[in-house]
Amino acid sequence: MALAFYDENLYILNMKKDAEVKASQVPYIVERLNATTPDSIPPASVMKQLATAIDAGKKYKSIKDIVVPSGSSSPMRERASRSLAAVKSLVLRDKDEKLASEFENHEKVLSILQSLFDAEGDFLRRNVSCSEDSLSLIKDIHGVPPGSFLVKLSEVIGSFKTLRKMAILWCKIVAELRRLWGEELHIPGIPLDEFPDLHSCLLYQQLQVINCCVSRKKRHAIASKSLEAALRDAKRFSPESAKGVNAPGHLLYAKTSSGELVLRLGAGSKAPNLFMLESGEPIYSPIPQEGPLLTEDLIKETEEFVLRTGSVGAGCSQLLSDMQGFKVGPVHNAANPGCILEDFVRWHSPPDWTDSEPTDEANETSSSDGGNSSSTKGYLSSRMQKEGNLWRELWETSKPVPAVKQAPLFDEELAVEGILNHMENISPSELFEQFFISLLGLGTLMAEAKLSSNDYLSKLFYECKDYFVVTCQGRPWSEKVDDICQVYETMEAMIVNPDEVVKAMKQADEARTPGSETKRISFLKLGLNFGIKDRNPRKPSPRSESSSEESPMKQQFSNFFEGKSSLFSKNKPPKPGSASPGEKTPSAEDSDWTLV
C-alpha cells in the first residue's frame, strides 16, 4: 500500500515557484502598480530589476536587437537545415514571437500605457515635499524632477521580469510618443515649453525638446494665420483709413522719410524710447525666430565643431534673421528706406552706439566710408565702422522677411524625428541606466522627507545619500550598480522598519570597542534582514571591484562590501518562500533573469 510522503522543503520550493510565476504575470504587475500608495518610495525590487537590465543590456547594441534578435535565420537557411537543433531553434523562436505578440497586445499592458499618458490620472502619483536644497540631489546625480513622466515610466518598466518585455514596452512607448508628436499633443508630466534642463538625464532633455517643439509648431501656426489676416485686411483698408473705427486694430503702419505710409509686418512690441533716425517713427521690436533647442550631447557636438572649424555660422544666421525681421518691422519694402543700420544697432546692440559728438577717430572713419556710419544724433562704435564689418555686410544683403516666413533656424520636424529615431535604436544599457537614476532620485527625495527629522536615522540616511552622490558622479557608475542597490535597500529598510533598524544600530554601537572606528555605512546590508530579502542575490560584476585609485570617500563606502557577513545576519537563513511584512507575494528578485 502506497503511503503519502510529505517533504517540507519540496513544498516550500513549489510554493516559491508558484509565487514567482504569479509575480511575473502581467495582471499581478498591473495590480501592484495600481495599488502603489502616494507615500511609498519605489521598491528595491524594481531597482534590482533595472540594475540587472543594465548588465544584461550591455550585450546588445540596440534595443531593437532584444525585440527582434539579429541572429534569426532566414527562410532559405531554415529550409536548408534539417538538424534537430535547427528545428528546436525554430520552434522556440516561434514560441517567443507568440509570447511577445501576446504581451504587446495584452489588455493590461494597454491599460498601463493609457494610465502613463493620462495627464489627469493619479497613476503612480507620489507625495513629494522637498526643499530647494533637497532638489540639488537631482542635479548632482543627473536625475529627473520627481513626479515626471519619466519617473513613472521607469517604475513601470522596472516592474517587468524579462529583458524582452522591457524592450517591447519601451518600443510601444516610443510609438505612442511618435503619435503624440504627429497629432501635436504634449507629453504629460513634462514641461510644455522649456529649454532642456542640462542638469537632468539626456532622455528627460529629449522629452523636453519634443514638448517644446509641439508648442513652437502651435505658435508658428498662429503667427502664420495672423500674418495672412494682416495682409488680407491691408488690401481692404487703405493706410489713411486704417485708423478708422471699423478698421482692424492689428494693422500697423510706419511713415518713411518720404512721407509714405508702409505696412509693418512681423512687428512685436514698441521699443521704449527708440525712434528711427531718418523718419522719427517709433521702432518696434520684431517678433524673432526662436533659437535652437540643444540637449547636452548636441551642445558638446556644436562646441567640438566650432573648435575644429572655427565656424560661427549659427551666430551669423541668427543675426541675419534678426535683421530681416527688423527691416520688416518698420517698413514692408526695403527699397523705401525707413530704417537704417544705425537703427538696428541701437536696438540690437546699444553699446555700439553713442549719443554724442563723434571723436576725431570716428570722424576720420566716417569720412572714409562716405559719412554713412554716423548721424547728427550720434555715431557707431569703431568696430562697426571698420571696413568689411560683418554687420554692415549682412545688413546690405538682408531682405525684409517676417520671422514666420523665413527659413527656420531650427527645424522642429527634423529635431524630433532625430530624437525618436535615437529612442528606437538606443543602447539598452544607456536606457536602463537613465531609468535607474530617475527612480534613485525620487526614492532618495522621499526618504529624506521621512527620515531627516529622525535624530538617529538621519545620520545613516545622509551617509547613504552622500554615497549616491559620490558614486553617481563618477564614471562609469553603472559598474557599481550592485552596491547602489544594497545602499538603497538600507534606505528602504529605514522607512519600512525604522524601530528595528534603530535597535540594531544601538546594539552595534554598544558592541564596538572604544578605540574602534565608527562607520555607519557598515549597516548598508541591514535591508537583507528586514523584509526586503534578496533571496537570489545578483553576482557582482568583476568590473565593480574597487580600484586602488578610488578616492578616500569612495573607499570608505566600498570597504563594507568586502565583508562576507552582515551585522544583521542570523544563524538560520530565512525560508525561501517566506514573504516580507506588508508584501502580498515574493518580489521580483525571486525569479531568475531570463530574456523572454
Side-chain angles (χ1 to χ4, degrees), residues 10-68:
L10 183 60
Y11 173 76
I12 293 175
L13 180 61
N14 290 333
M15 286 186 61
K16 180 176 182 292
K17 289 182 178 180
D18 292 341
E20 290 175 356
V21 173
K22 181 179 179 181
S24 63
Q25 292 175 348
V26 174
Y28 169 76
I29 294 174
V30 176
E31 179 184 355
R32 187 193 67 78
L33 290 171
N34 289 326
T36 300
T37 60
D39 294 324
S40 62
I41 69 172
S45 60
V46 173
M47 300 295 292
K48 290 183 178 180
Q49 287 296 115
L50 290 174
T52 309
I54 292 173
D55 288 342
K58 293 177 180 179
K59 302 176 183 177
Y60 304 91
K61 292 183 178 180
S62 167
I63 201 77
K64 286 184 176 180
D65 294 339
I66 301 175
V67 178
V68 183

Side-chain angles (χ1 to χ4, degrees), residues 405-432:
K405 293 295 184 180
Q406 295 175 12
L409 297 175
F410 179 76
D411 192 330
E412 286 84 8
E413 295 282 350
L414 185 62
V416 174
E417 187 63 29
I419 289 175
L420 293 174
N421 288 338
H422 174 266
M423 290 180 175
E424 289 177 340
N425 297 279
I426 190 172
S427 162
S429 59
E430 178 187 347
L431 176 65
F432 296 128

Side-chain angles (χ1 to χ4, degrees), residues 117 119 176-177 179-181 183-193 207-219:
F117 288 94
E176 182 66 13
L177 293 177
R179 182 190 70 81
L180 292 178
W181 166 248
E183 298 178 7
E184 296 186 9
L185 298 175
H186 290 100
I187 305 169
I190 301 294
L192 300 184
D193 195 15
L207 295 176
Q208 282 185 292
V209 170
I210 295 177
N211 264 7
C212 198
C213 288
V214 170
S215 299
R216 288 189 175 189
K217 283 183 68 176
K218 293 182 176 181
R219 282 197 296 272

Side-chain angles (χ1 to χ4, degrees), residues 68-69 71-75 78 86-100 164 596:
V68 183
S72 301
S73 53
S74 64
E78 292 171 6
V87 174
K88 182 179 179 181
S89 176
L90 291 175
V91 172
L92 291 177
R93 194 190 69 182
D94 291 341
K95 181 181 178 181
D96 293 344
E97 291 177 353
K98 181 180 179 180
L99 291 175
R164 194 171 190 187
V596 295

